[in-house]
Amino acid sequence: MLPTTPPSPGSELRRKVLVGFCLIVSFLVIIAFVSFRSTSRHLQAARAMEQTRQVLEVEERARRNLVELENLRLRYLVTPTDVLLEDYEAARNEVEELFGKLESLVDPESAQAARLRSLREPRRQFFALQQVEMSARREVGPAPVEKLIDRGKTAELTRKIDAVLTEFEAAQNEIVAERAADADRIARQNHIVIITGTGMTFLALWQAGLMILRDFSARRRAEEALANEHNLFSSIIDTMPAHVFVKDVKGRYILDNAAHRRYLGVSAERLIEGTTVGDYFPEEAAERFQDDDRKIIETGQPIFNREVPVTREGAVEKWLETTKVPLRDTDGTIVGLVGVSSDITDRKSNEVKLRRFADQLERSNAELQNFANVASHDLQEPLRKIQAFGDRLRSKCGPQLSEAGLDYLSRMENAAHRMQNLIQDLLKLSRVVTQAQPFESCDLGKIMNDVIGDLVVMVEKKRADIQVGPLPTVEGDPVQLWQLFQNVINNAMKFQRPGERPVIRITGRIYEAPENLIPGARAGDPVAEIAVEDNGIGFEEKFAEQIFVVFQRLHSRDEYEGTGIGLAVCRKITDRHAGRIVAKSSSGGGATFLVTLPVQQPSLKKS
């Protein structure tokens, strides 16, 4: 048996070209045949369509001529002239010609031909009756026309002919619609065939071209890929700031990037292939790295983001964050490992500084809190004595004091009272954080009723009308939410025009939060909005943020009392609840405070 020789590349290419050429020619022949057949069918449908329309036109002319024939007959019976008689005969001949043409245009075996044949006898009787009437008109002379016309017979024949023609026209319109639909369907099929065939031809051409180009360029692409692969990979890892390295199963370096070589102190020209960590690190650190490498090779378990301190000879201690994963071949066998390390020395130093700063800040806050508590109690004791001795002075020595002395005493008492309110408000502001309670489910409707109940004395004094709608349930600190709404409602009753009755409307709703609405809700999370609207004096819109700053007042103490801390407490409470409070108003147009809270608190806020 003779040994077979593989086909040469040239013969293989010729075979592929021949197969592609035959395939393309086959597609073209099929397209041409199908297109010719579809075009022929489309032309036949078009001719049939034209014949059908011609039948409708002839039928319409015949119907018009019948009407004209009837008009000529009536005119002749009224005024018999030779001209009208000649016109009548011409119209009658044309009607017969048109009906004859109709019978020649339709299929003799069709229902339409049968309808036309059924009109032959009615037409003959119709014309005979008209001929009798017109002959009688010539013989009788100018007698009354009504005596000459047999209206019943004429009307019956006319209805019969008209009914058959109407039925004929309706059937012909249906034929027109069917043939039009057939023509459209054939046209669509023709388009589909042409488009599909053209697409398949182009696909075959494209495939043939690809086959030829692949044979010509496969070897060149493979060579270029092999030449560029190593350079591309080296360029990519050299641009990475992290230390990238690859080791074999014996822990020897086989590849690394420029950042790793710089860290090891190796010049760019020097290669580290074949070296180990023992050539660059102290013995203790090198052994630790080698143990990690052996575990990864033996178990296949990677190491992620391990932070270790490393001290190289003659260098200060540095921190490395290292990730090592096993390197496997196509069969899944471990053939080495890939490591990525980052120098996190600066980050570790910043973490130490941050911890120290946090400790100092915590101690400072604790000292400030202790100072605030002690100072508030120490300040309230002298105030109580000032108020007590002021009361004694007024009760015992009031009659002996002059008008100026009484004025001085009143100012002293007012100042002590303001100082006491200020201290109490400052304590409330500091306790928002220091005496905060864990979050729980809070029925805002119940909390609002409790607030109004606690303010009943002020409500009756101001004759306030407070209207509360349905309010939602949210997660929060019930004590702080009570304080929040007490401050807002108290603020609404306070800033009123003298003698005007406060009207306060409180409404609530739950809706999906848009992007970046409040810190405690992502886009789409449910949030609760509580609106407190009053009819008070309002404020200018430019002060909408200033009113929430501690000690900021828009009016003097003589006009409206207060310390300027109440709304700052509200802002601090909503901040703790990961929500917000905003105010909207115009001078003299009342104010609206909008409190927005997450329905469910983020887990980090639950403290």
Side-chain angles (χ1 to χ4, degrees), residues 53-77:
R53 290 197 177 103
Q54 186 178 3
V55 170
L56 284 174
E57 292 177 0
V58 173
E59 184 269 339
E60 179 65 23
R61 288 173 54 195
R63 180 173 288 192
R64 289 198 305 267
N65 284 345
L66 283 173
V67 174
E68 179 65 20
L69 191 65
E70 179 67 12
N71 290 334
L72 289 172
R73 180 182 69 84
L74 293 175
R75 290 170 58 191
Y76 181 82
L77 293 177

PDB file of all heavy atoms in Angstrom, residues 53-77:
ATOM      1  N   ARG A  53     -60.664  45.555 -12.322  1.00  0.00           N
ATOM      2  CA  ARG A  53     -61.024  46.983 -12.278  1.00  0.00           C
ATOM      3  C   ARG A  53     -61.752  47.396 -13.565  1.00  0.00           C
ATOM      4  O   ARG A  53     -62.668  48.231 -13.527  1.00  0.00           O
ATOM      5  CB  ARG A  53     -59.760  47.824 -12.085  1.00  0.00           C
ATOM      6  CG  ARG A  53     -59.136  47.681 -10.694  1.00  0.00           C
ATOM      7  CD  ARG A  53     -58.176  48.823 -10.433  1.00  0.00           C
ATOM      8  NE  ARG A  53     -57.621  48.743  -9.097  1.00  0.00           N
ATOM      9  CZ  ARG A  53     -56.403  48.323  -8.802  1.00  0.00           C
ATOM     10  NH1 ARG A  53     -55.604  47.944  -9.792  1.00  0.00           N
ATOM     11  NH2 ARG A  53     -55.970  48.278  -7.567  1.00  0.00           N
ATOM     12  N   GLN A  54     -61.339  46.826 -14.709  1.00  0.00           N
ATOM     13  CA  GLN A  54     -62.007  47.158 -15.972  1.00  0.00           C
ATOM     14  C   GLN A  54     -63.471  46.702 -15.935  1.00  0.00           C
ATOM     15  O   GLN A  54     -64.363  47.404 -16.431  1.00  0.00           O
ATOM     16  CB  GLN A  54     -61.264  46.485 -17.126  1.00  0.00           C
ATOM     17  CG  GLN A  54     -61.798  46.894 -18.500  1.00  0.00           C
ATOM     18  CD  GLN A  54     -61.003  46.250 -19.631  1.00  0.00           C
ATOM     19  OE1 GLN A  54     -60.098  45.460 -19.386  1.00  0.00           O
ATOM     20  NE2 GLN A  54     -61.361  46.564 -20.863  1.00  0.00           N
ATOM     21  N   VAL A  55     -63.726  45.523 -15.334  1.00  0.00           N
ATOM     22  CA  VAL A  55     -65.103  45.044 -15.203  1.00  0.00           C
ATOM     23  C   VAL A  55     -65.931  46.024 -14.388  1.00  0.00           C
ATOM     24  O   VAL A  55     -67.080  46.346 -14.738  1.00  0.00           O
ATOM     25  CB  VAL A  55     -65.107  43.647 -14.549  1.00  0.00           C
ATOM     26  CG1 VAL A  55     -66.532  43.235 -14.164  1.00  0.00           C
ATOM     27  CG2 VAL A  55     -64.522  42.616 -15.506  1.00  0.00           C
ATOM     28  N   LEU A  56     -65.344  46.533 -13.290  1.00  0.00           N
ATOM     29  CA  LEU A  56     -66.081  47.498 -12.465  1.00  0.00           C
ATOM     30  C   LEU A  56     -66.372  48.776 -13.245  1.00  0.00           C
ATOM     31  O   LEU A  56     -67.459  49.361 -13.121  1.00  0.00           O
ATOM     32  CB  LEU A  56     -65.275  47.816 -11.207  1.00  0.00           C
ATOM     33  CG  LEU A  56     -65.274  46.743 -10.105  1.00  0.00           C
ATOM     34  CD1 LEU A  56     -64.330  47.145  -8.991  1.00  0.00           C
ATOM     35  CD2 LEU A  56     -66.681  46.545  -9.565  1.00  0.00           C
ATOM     36  N   GLU A  57     -65.407  49.220 -14.052  1.00  0.00           N
ATOM     37  CA  GLU A  57     -65.625  50.439 -14.845  1.00  0.00           C
ATOM     38  C   GLU A  57     -66.743  50.224 -15.870  1.00  0.00           C
ATOM     39  O   GLU A  57     -67.623  51.090 -16.053  1.00  0.00           O
ATOM     40  CB  GLU A  57     -64.326  50.838 -15.538  1.00  0.00           C
ATOM     41  CG  GLU A  57     -63.242  51.312 -14.585  1.00  0.00           C
ATOM     42  CD  GLU A  57     -61.944  51.620 -15.325  1.00  0.00           C
ATOM     43  OE1 GLU A  57     -61.924  51.448 -16.565  1.00  0.00           O
ATOM     44  OE2 GLU A  57     -60.962  52.010 -14.642  1.00  0.00           O
ATOM     45  N   VAL A  58     -66.730  49.079 -16.565  1.00  0.00           N
ATOM     46  CA  VAL A  58     -67.772  48.813 -17.572  1.00  0.00           C
ATOM     47  C   VAL A  58     -69.137  48.701 -16.905  1.00  0.00           C
ATOM     48  O   VAL A  58     -70.149  49.209 -17.412  1.00  0.00           O
ATOM     49  CB  VAL A  58     -67.430  47.534 -18.364  1.00  0.00           C
ATOM     50  CG1 VAL A  58     -68.578  47.146 -19.292  1.00  0.00           C
ATOM     51  CG2 VAL A  58     -66.149  47.737 -19.166  1.00  0.00           C
ATOM     52  N   GLU A  59     -69.167  48.036 -15.728  1.00  0.00           N
ATOM     53  CA  GLU A  59     -70.440  47.903 -15.002  1.00  0.00           C
ATOM     54  C   GLU A  59     -70.979  49.264 -14.590  1.00  0.00           C
ATOM     55  O   GLU A  59     -72.191  49.528 -14.684  1.00  0.00           O
ATOM     56  CB  GLU A  59     -70.221  47.015 -13.772  1.00  0.00           C
ATOM     57  CG  GLU A  59     -71.485  46.706 -12.982  1.00  0.00           C
ATOM     58  CD  GLU A  59     -71.728  47.722 -11.884  1.00  0.00           C
ATOM     59  OE1 GLU A  59     -70.739  48.403 -11.495  1.00  0.00           O
ATOM     60  OE2 GLU A  59     -72.882  47.856 -11.446  1.00  0.00           O
ATOM     61  N   GLU A  60     -70.086  50.133 -14.156  1.00  0.00           N
ATOM     62  CA  GLU A  60     -70.508  51.469 -13.746  1.00  0.00           C
ATOM     63  C   GLU A  60     -71.051  52.245 -14.956  1.00  0.00           C
ATOM     64  O   GLU A  60     -72.071  52.942 -14.866  1.00  0.00           O
ATOM     65  CB  GLU A  60     -69.321  52.205 -13.110  1.00  0.00           C
ATOM     66  CG  GLU A  60     -69.622  53.625 -12.660  1.00  0.00           C
ATOM     67  CD  GLU A  60     -70.633  53.670 -11.528  1.00  0.00           C
ATOM     68  OE1 GLU A  60     -70.779  52.647 -10.813  1.00  0.00           O
ATOM     69  OE2 GLU A  60     -71.292  54.712 -11.369  1.00  0.00           O
ATOM     70  N   ARG A  61     -70.385  52.133 -16.098  1.00  0.00           N
ATOM     71  CA  ARG A  61     -70.873  52.821 -17.310  1.00  0.00           C
ATOM     72  C   ARG A  61     -72.235  52.263 -17.737  1.00  0.00           C
ATOM     73  O   ARG A  61     -73.127  53.012 -18.146  1.00  0.00           O
ATOM     74  CB  ARG A  61     -69.857  52.656 -18.430  1.00  0.00           C
ATOM     75  CG  ARG A  61     -68.575  53.474 -18.217  1.00  0.00           C
ATOM     76  CD  ARG A  61     -67.547  53.135 -19.277  1.00  0.00           C
ATOM     77  NE  ARG A  61     -68.083  53.281 -20.637  1.00  0.00           N
ATOM     78  CZ  ARG A  61     -67.515  52.796 -21.741  1.00  0.00           C
ATOM     79  NH1 ARG A  61     -66.386  52.104 -21.639  1.00  0.00           N
ATOM     80  NH2 ARG A  61     -68.063  52.992 -22.923  1.00  0.00           N
ATOM     81  N   ALA A  62     -72.398  50.948 -17.658  1.00  0.00           N
ATOM     82  CA  ALA A  62     -73.680  50.347 -18.038  1.00  0.00           C
ATOM     83  C   ALA A  62     -74.799  50.857 -17.136  1.00  0.00           C
ATOM     84  O   ALA A  62     -75.906  51.162 -17.605  1.00  0.00           O
ATOM     85  CB  ALA A  62     -73.594  48.819 -17.959  1.00  0.00           C
ATOM     86  N   ARG A  63     -74.515  50.952 -15.809  1.00  0.00           N
ATOM     87  CA  ARG A  63     -75.539  51.446 -14.894  1.00  0.00           C
ATOM     88  C   ARG A  63     -75.880  52.905 -15.207  1.00  0.00           C
ATOM     89  O   ARG A  63     -77.058  53.292 -15.176  1.00  0.00           O
ATOM     90  CB  ARG A  63     -75.044  51.300 -13.452  1.00  0.00           C
ATOM     91  CG  ARG A  63     -76.032  51.786 -12.425  1.00  0.00           C
ATOM     92  CD  ARG A  63     -75.580  51.462 -11.021  1.00  0.00           C
ATOM     93  NE  ARG A  63     -75.698  50.021 -10.767  1.00  0.00           N
ATOM     94  CZ  ARG A  63     -75.602  49.470  -9.555  1.00  0.00           C
ATOM     95  NH1 ARG A  63     -75.400  50.249  -8.502  1.00  0.00           N
ATOM     96  NH2 ARG A  63     -75.721  48.167  -9.392  1.00  0.00           N
ATOM     97  N   ARG A  64     -74.846  53.727 -15.484  1.00  0.00           N
ATOM     98  CA  ARG A  64     -75.138  55.129 -15.821  1.00  0.00           C
ATOM     99  C   ARG A  64     -75.959  55.224 -17.108  1.00  0.00           C
ATOM    100  O   ARG A  64     -76.868  56.058 -17.226  1.00  0.00           O
ATOM    101  CB  ARG A  64     -73.828  55.912 -15.962  1.00  0.00           C
ATOM    102  CG  ARG A  64     -73.104  56.164 -14.635  1.00  0.00           C
ATOM    103  CD  ARG A  64     -72.100  57.298 -14.799  1.00  0.00           C
ATOM    104  NE  ARG A  64     -71.173  57.048 -15.889  1.00  0.00           N
ATOM    105  CZ  ARG A  64     -69.980  56.453 -15.750  1.00  0.00           C
ATOM    106  NH1 ARG A  64     -69.601  56.019 -14.556  1.00  0.00           N
ATOM    107  NH2 ARG A  64     -69.185  56.269 -16.792  1.00  0.00           N
ATOM    108  N   ASN A  65     -75.650  54.392 -18.091  1.00  0.00           N
ATOM    109  CA  ASN A  65     -76.374  54.438 -19.361  1.00  0.00           C
ATOM    110  C   ASN A  65     -77.831  53.983 -19.199  1.00  0.00           C
ATOM    111  O   ASN A  65     -78.730  54.476 -19.886  1.00  0.00           O
ATOM    112  CB  ASN A  65     -75.688  53.575 -20.415  1.00  0.00           C
ATOM    113  CG  ASN A  65     -74.429  54.262 -20.960  1.00  0.00           C
ATOM    114  OD1 ASN A  65     -74.248  55.461 -20.758  1.00  0.00           O
ATOM    115  ND2 ASN A  65     -73.576  53.515 -21.635  1.00  0.00           N
ATOM    116  N   LEU A  66     -78.061  53.026 -18.293  1.00  0.00           N
ATOM    117  CA  LEU A  66     -79.441  52.633 -18.017  1.00  0.00           C
ATOM    118  C   LEU A  66     -80.224  53.806 -17.464  1.00  0.00           C
ATOM    119  O   LEU A  66     -81.389  54.031 -17.821  1.00  0.00           O
ATOM    120  CB  LEU A  66     -79.472  51.453 -17.041  1.00  0.00           C
ATOM    121  CG  LEU A  66     -79.133  50.078 -17.621  1.00  0.00           C
ATOM    122  CD1 LEU A  66     -79.033  49.045 -16.520  1.00  0.00           C
ATOM    123  CD2 LEU A  66     -80.196  49.666 -18.647  1.00  0.00           C
ATOM    124  N   VAL A  67     -79.600  54.551 -16.546  1.00  0.00           N
ATOM    125  CA  VAL A  67     -80.267  55.732 -15.988  1.00  0.00           C
ATOM    126  C   VAL A  67     -80.503  56.754 -17.086  1.00  0.00           C
ATOM    127  O   VAL A  67     -81.591  57.362 -17.188  1.00  0.00           O
ATOM    128  CB  VAL A  67     -79.421  56.319 -14.841  1.00  0.00           C
ATOM    129  CG1 VAL A  67     -80.023  57.643 -14.348  1.00  0.00           C
ATOM    130  CG2 VAL A  67     -79.307  55.331 -13.697  1.00  0.00           C
ATOM    131  N   GLU A  68     -79.498  56.957 -17.956  1.00  0.00           N
ATOM    132  CA  GLU A  68     -79.652  57.922 -19.051  1.00  0.00           C
ATOM    133  C   GLU A  68     -80.747  57.470 -20.019  1.00  0.00           C
ATOM    134  O   GLU A  68     -81.519  58.287 -20.526  1.00  0.00           O
ATOM    135  CB  GLU A  68     -78.307  58.067 -19.775  1.00  0.00           C
ATOM    136  CG  GLU A  68     -78.332  59.035 -20.945  1.00  0.00           C
ATOM    137  CD  GLU A  68     -78.590  60.474 -20.519  1.00  0.00           C
ATOM    138  OE1 GLU A  68     -78.359  60.787 -19.306  1.00  0.00           O
ATOM    139  OE2 GLU A  68     -79.006  61.290 -21.350  1.00  0.00           O
ATOM    140  N   LEU A  69     -80.826  56.148 -20.251  1.00  0.00           N
ATOM    141  CA  LEU A  69     -81.843  55.610 -21.155  1.00  0.00           C
ATOM    142  C   LEU A  69     -83.242  55.894 -20.608  1.00  0.00           C
ATOM    143  O   LEU A  69     -84.167  56.271 -21.339  1.00  0.00           O
ATOM    144  CB  LEU A  69     -81.619  54.102 -21.321  1.00  0.00           C
ATOM    145  CG  LEU A  69     -82.422  53.417 -22.420  1.00  0.00           C
ATOM    146  CD1 LEU A  69     -81.998  53.931 -23.792  1.00  0.00           C
ATOM    147  CD2 LEU A  69     -82.194  51.903 -22.347  1.00  0.00           C
ATOM    148  N   GLU A  70     -83.391  55.737 -19.280  1.00  0.00           N
ATOM    149  CA  GLU A  70     -84.676  55.998 -18.647  1.00  0.00           C
ATOM    150  C   GLU A  70     -85.033  57.471 -18.768  1.00  0.00           C
ATOM    151  O   GLU A  70     -86.190  57.837 -19.022  1.00  0.00           O
ATOM    152  CB  GLU A  70     -84.625  55.553 -17.177  1.00  0.00           C
ATOM    153  CG  GLU A  70     -85.906  55.793 -16.398  1.00  0.00           C
ATOM    154  CD  GLU A  70     -87.049  54.928 -16.897  1.00  0.00           C
ATOM    155  OE1 GLU A  70     -86.796  53.971 -17.688  1.00  0.00           O
ATOM    156  OE2 GLU A  70     -88.207  55.211 -16.527  1.00  0.00           O
ATOM    157  N   ASN A  71     -84.047  58.361 -18.600  1.00  0.00           N
ATOM    158  CA  ASN A  71     -84.299  59.809 -18.718  1.00  0.00           C
ATOM    159  C   ASN A  71     -84.733  60.177 -20.133  1.00  0.00           C
ATOM    160  O   ASN A  71     -85.659  60.978 -20.339  1.00  0.00           O
ATOM    161  CB  ASN A  71     -83.048  60.589 -18.335  1.00  0.00           C
ATOM    162  CG  ASN A  71     -82.756  60.488 -16.845  1.00  0.00           C
ATOM    163  OD1 ASN A  71     -83.672  60.264 -16.054  1.00  0.00           O
ATOM    164  ND2 ASN A  71     -81.497  60.634 -16.465  1.00  0.00           N
ATOM    165  N   LEU A  72     -84.057  59.567 -21.126  1.00  0.00           N
ATOM    166  CA  LEU A  72     -84.418  59.875 -22.517  1.00  0.00           C
ATOM    167  C   LEU A  72     -85.841  59.405 -22.817  1.00  0.00           C
ATOM    168  O   LEU A  72     -86.600  60.064 -23.541  1.00  0.00           O
ATOM    169  CB  LEU A  72     -83.427  59.206 -23.465  1.00  0.00           C
ATOM    170  CG  LEU A  72     -82.005  59.812 -23.479  1.00  0.00           C
ATOM    171  CD1 LEU A  72     -81.064  58.940 -24.296  1.00  0.00           C
ATOM    172  CD2 LEU A  72     -82.049  61.234 -24.051  1.00  0.00           C
ATOM    173  N   ARG A  73     -86.198  58.222 -22.266  1.00  0.00           N
ATOM    174  CA  ARG A  73     -87.558  57.718 -22.496  1.00  0.00           C
ATOM    175  C   ARG A  73     -88.598  58.686 -21.928  1.00  0.00           C
ATOM    176  O   ARG A  73     -89.595  59.006 -22.585  1.00  0.00           O
ATOM    177  CB  ARG A  73     -87.701  56.338 -21.859  1.00  0.00           C
ATOM    178  CG  ARG A  73     -89.082  55.714 -22.041  1.00  0.00           C
ATOM    179  CD  ARG A  73     -89.145  54.381 -21.341  1.00  0.00           C
ATOM    180  NE  ARG A  73     -89.101  54.529 -19.907  1.00  0.00           N
ATOM    181  CZ  ARG A  73     -90.167  54.786 -19.130  1.00  0.00           C
ATOM    182  NH1 ARG A  73     -91.354  54.905 -19.670  1.00  0.00           N
ATOM    183  NH2 ARG A  73     -90.031  54.892 -17.829  1.00  0.00           N
ATOM    184  N   LEU A  74     -88.357  59.150 -20.694  1.00  0.00           N
ATOM    185  CA  LEU A  74     -89.327  60.048 -20.074  1.00  0.00           C
ATOM    186  C   LEU A  74     -89.412  61.370 -20.823  1.00  0.00           C
ATOM    187  O   LEU A  74     -90.496  61.928 -20.995  1.00  0.00           O
ATOM    188  CB  LEU A  74     -88.937  60.278 -18.610  1.00  0.00           C
ATOM    189  CG  LEU A  74     -89.042  59.046 -17.682  1.00  0.00           C
ATOM    190  CD1 LEU A  74     -88.513  59.388 -16.296  1.00  0.00           C
ATOM    191  CD2 LEU A  74     -90.487  58.571 -17.610  1.00  0.00           C
ATOM    192  N   ARG A  75     -88.265  61.870 -21.235  1.00  0.00           N
ATOM    193  CA  ARG A  75     -88.285  63.133 -21.990  1.00  0.00           C
ATOM    194  C   ARG A  75     -89.044  62.974 -23.316  1.00  0.00           C
ATOM    195  O   ARG A  75     -89.763  63.862 -23.765  1.00  0.00           O
ATOM    196  CB  ARG A  75     -86.853  63.600 -22.247  1.00  0.00           C
ATOM    197  CG  ARG A  75     -86.152  64.080 -20.968  1.00  0.00           C
ATOM    198  CD  ARG A  75     -84.666  64.303 -21.204  1.00  0.00           C
ATOM    199  NE  ARG A  75     -84.447  65.282 -22.268  1.00  0.00           N
ATOM    200  CZ  ARG A  75     -83.255  65.506 -22.826  1.00  0.00           C
ATOM    201  NH1 ARG A  75     -82.199  64.809 -22.438  1.00  0.00           N
ATOM    202  NH2 ARG A  75     -83.132  66.416 -23.775  1.00  0.00           N
ATOM    203  N   TYR A  76     -88.872  61.775 -23.972  1.00  0.00           N
ATOM    204  CA  TYR A  76     -89.557  61.542 -25.232  1.00  0.00           C
ATOM    205  C   TYR A  76     -91.066  61.456 -25.017  1.00  0.00           C
ATOM    206  O   TYR A  76     -91.847  61.951 -25.840  1.00  0.00           O
ATOM    207  CB  TYR A  76     -89.037  60.261 -25.882  1.00  0.00           C
ATOM    208  CG  TYR A  76     -89.685  59.962 -27.216  1.00  0.00           C
ATOM    209  CD1 TYR A  76     -89.220  60.602 -28.379  1.00  0.00           C
ATOM    210  CD2 TYR A  76     -90.758  59.084 -27.311  1.00  0.00           C
ATOM    211  CE1 TYR A  76     -89.832  60.346 -29.596  1.00  0.00           C
ATOM    212  CE2 TYR A  76     -91.365  58.829 -28.530  1.00  0.00           C
ATOM    213  CZ  TYR A  76     -90.897  59.463 -29.682  1.00  0.00           C
ATOM    214  OH  TYR A  76     -91.507  59.212 -30.884  1.00  0.00           O
ATOM    215  N   LEU A  77     -91.482  60.820 -23.937  1.00  0.00           N
ATOM    216  CA  LEU A  77     -92.910  60.715 -23.673  1.00  0.00           C
ATOM    217  C   LEU A  77     -93.524  62.083 -23.419  1.00  0.00           C
ATOM    218  O   LEU A  77     -94.711  62.304 -23.696  1.00  0.00           O
ATOM    219  CB  LEU A  77     -93.167  59.801 -22.471  1.00  0.00           C
ATOM    220  CG  LEU A  77     -92.816  58.320 -22.662  1.00  0.00           C
ATOM    221  CD1 LEU A  77     -93.049  57.547 -21.372  1.00  0.00           C
ATOM    222  CD2 LEU A  77     -93.630  57.738 -23.805  1.00  0.00           C
TER     223      LEU A  77
END
